[in-house]
Amino acid sequence: MKTDPFVIERTYNAPIEKVWKAITDKDEMKEWYFNLEEFKLEVGFEFRFTGGTEENKYLHICKITEVIPGKKLTHSWKYDCYTGESFVTFELFKQGDKTTLKLTHAGLETFPDIPDFARHNFEAGWTHITGTSLFEYLEKIN
C-alpha cells in the first residue's frame, strides 16, 4: 500500500492574491471546485459537500486545520459513514507575476479499500481540478 501523499504543482498566470481568493472564497470556489453551502477561512470551521460518481455520491466532511493568509490552507477530508481521514494542503508561491500552487493530499491510505477511494481516483480528480478547472477559471477572471 502506497502511503506517500499525493502532490501536484501547477503554475497559473495570475497573481497570488487572485489564486488565494479563488481557493478560499465560496462564491469563487463554486465556479471551479464544489458548491459549498458555507465556508469560513478560520481554523476549526467545518464544511461539507457531496461528490463522487453518478452511481455513488459521498458526503465529504472537512475541517480547516491551518490558515496562513495568502500562503497556506489545510483542511481534513473524510467521508460520512466511512473510516479514514486525510488532509489536503494548498500552498501558494509567488513566481514573479505568476503563482505556483502546490497541492498535497496526505492520508489516502487510511480510507477503506473500495474502488471509489482508490488512490488513482484522487490523482485523476486533483489533476483535473488543478490543471483544468482552476486553470480555466483563473484564465477567465484574470
Side-chain angles (χ1 to χ4, degrees):
M1 176 186 303
K2 190 169 184 177
T3 59
D4 295 337
F6 172 72
V7 179
I8 190 167
E9 289 189 17
R10 293 282 188 255
T11 299
Y12 304 105
N13 188 27
I16 204 164
E17 297 80 17
K18 282 193 177 183
V19 179
W20 180 253
K21 190 168 185 230
I23 67 171
T24 60
D25 180 288
K26 80 177 189 75
D27 292 329
E28 291 198 27
M29 292 163 73
K30 74 179 177 185
E31 299 295 323
W32 66 271
Y33 191 44
F34 292 99
N35 188 5
L36 306 177
E37 282 188 34
E38 194 59 50
F39 185 85
K40 292 181 185 170
L41 195 56
E42 56 188 50
V43 172
F45 181 79
E46 186 176 283
F47 60 99
R48 297 168 178 236
F49 61 93
T50 301
T53 63
E54 288 300 317
E55 302 80 34
N56 297 310
K57 299 284 185 195
Y58 299 97
L59 176 61
H60 298 62
I61 302 170
C62 305
K63 186 182 287 188
I64 296 176
T65 59
E66 183 178 15
V67 176
I68 302 173
K71 295 182 181 195
K72 186 176 183 183
L73 169 65
T74 302
H75 64 76
S76 63
W77 174 297
K78 60 185 180 177
Y79 297 97
D80 190 38
C81 300
Y82 292 91
T83 59
E85 182 175 34
S86 63
F87 293 87
V88 176
T89 300
F90 296 85
E91 294 176 275
L92 301 181
F93 303 93
K94 186 174 181 160
Q95 305 290 333
D97 58 352
K98 298 181 181 189
T99 303
T100 296
L101 165 70
K102 178 181 178 185
L103 183 139
T104 304
H105 196 157
L108 296 173
E109 73 282 357
T110 68
F111 294 130
D113 187 18
I114 61 174
D116 285 346
F117 297 165
R119 181 183 176 95
H120 67 86
N121 288 327
F122 288 98
E123 292 172 354
W126 286 124
T127 298
H128 177 76
I129 287 168
T130 61
T132 302
S133 299
L134 181 56
F135 176 82
E136 289 176 356
Y137 176 71
L138 289 167
E139 289 292 308
K140 181 175 75 173
I141 66 163
N142 202 19

